[in-house]
Amino acid sequence: MALCGISRIDDLNAGAATASPIGPGDPDRESVGLIQGLLTGQGLKGLPNLLSPDYGVFGPATSAAVQQFRAQHSLAPGNQVDAQTLQSMVQSPAPVPVASRGYLTLVHNFDYSGLAKILSVVAQMEGAGKFGALNLNTDKAGLSFGLIQWAQKPGRLSEILDAFFAASEADFVRILGAGDADFASGLIAHTKQPLGGIDKPTGQTTDPTFDLVNEPWVSRFRQAALWKLFQHVQLQTALNNFSGSLRIIKQYAPQIDSERAVGFTLDLANQFGNAGARSIYQAVWNAGMSVNDLLQAMADESVERIQDPWKTGTQARRQHFLTTGFLSDNAFGDAAIGSQAPSTAVA
């Protein structure tokens, strides 16, 4: 059985007789936060995520969500998470799957450490941690999809589509090609065109057949995000991206070596690209700078490079990485990633 690394949650999930239920006012913020992430994936609204100061607080919103979940799944009325309730949260298909600690570990068997932990935090910044996060050309980049927002314009969308296709051609054709193999191949070919098949000034498609920011494509991408195999592919592809970016970062900035600094810089690289992150570093680095001063200077420079409508959000994003308690200032070490074969059932 998959483990999350939080003993109380693992005991509950295993049905251990000594495991105590989790309920209102529970001081175990780590366990409560994991429950909140699973409930969010189950479509319960209004719950704090790890960017919120209420994350890990079992207050009225969490209590109401537990009661609603129990009612929806024919469990006895109540506002506590006992073994049966937790097991149902893990085993029930998630209608809004998010890369929370509980979902990564208990559903996909990934270790919540190293790059996987950083990915979970970065995904919260990109699209609330949702596997099905979509940006429908609000930034004139065409369609951006998934955990780390693989975008059309810079050619990244084709990368995740290629990975889906390689993992299961049959599922790719069925979901994204609506059963038509030629249509599915055409989608990949379109996104491999210069600028991902969109017009540079507007972000609009160059081929109406593949207008990915409108139906039927929006529904197809959302359906792809529900497929557990494709979720696993998103996770592994994003981790591969991060691993490659980290190797590049280490070449020009070996002092980026704490979990916080690595997470901050990987988030920067995901937003600006590897070349952009390096350019920002080179613009502010001075010999003798402390790592904290360097990160703050990089944060300020990144905000300056963002267009006005997104400056406030970018500033908040940078500051979160500089202050969040979910990342430590200890030396970063990337633990092995869980490799259990993913399920091919719809999540």
Side-chain angles (χ1 to χ4, degrees), residues 13 53 56 99 136 153 178 194 208 223 256 326:
N13 195 37
L136 304 179
K153 188 174 184 178
Q223 185 63 30
I256 301 295
F326 290 101

Side-chain angles (χ1 to χ4, degrees), residues 95-125:
V96 191
V98 296
S100 64
R101 178 173 186 170
Y103 200 74
L104 288 180
T105 57
L106 300 177
V107 176
H108 281 285
N109 199 26
F110 278 75
D111 290 332
Y112 193 75
S113 59
L115 289 178
K117 178 181 176 182
I118 288 174
L119 170 60
S120 180
V121 180
V122 171
Q124 285 289 340
M125 302 294 183

Side-chain angles (χ1 to χ4, degrees), residues 155-275:
R156 297 182 70 197
L157 183 61
S158 64
E159 176 193 10
I160 194 64
L161 293 178
D162 278 341
F164 286 166
F165 188 88
S168 175
E169 180 179 349
D171 288 330
F172 188 94
V173 170
R174 177 178 57 83
I175 297 172
L176 287 161
D180 187 323
D182 291 336
F183 207 43
S185 297
L187 169 62
I188 293 177
H190 178 74
T191 59
K192 286 183 181 294
Q193 293 182 37
L195 301 175
I198 63 172
D199 174 65
K200 185 175 183 178
T202 66
Q204 295 177 358
T205 186
T206 57
D207 182 348
T209 303
F210 298 102
D211 185 7
L212 305 186
V213 300
N214 285 297
E215 295 293 357
W217 294 106
V218 170
S219 292
R220 292 177 188 174
F221 275 92
R222 285 176 175 155
Q223 185 63 30
L226 295 177
W227 197 245
K228 276 188 181 177
L229 175 59
F230 287 171
Q231 292 172 16
H232 195 93
V233 170
Q234 280 201 51
L235 290 167
Q236 196 61 64
T237 303
L239 290 171
N240 291 341
N241 289 164
F242 281 16
S243 181
S245 292
L246 184 56
R247 285 194 295 270
I248 294 170
I249 291 164
K250 287 295 186 182
Q251 292 174 3
Y252 65 81
Q255 71 273 49
I256 301 295
D257 61 359
S258 70
E259 183 180 64
R260 183 181 311 282
V262 168
F264 174 96
T265 313
L266 285 175
D267 182 61
L268 198 71
N270 191 61
Q271 187 177 23
F272 287 88
N274 289 321

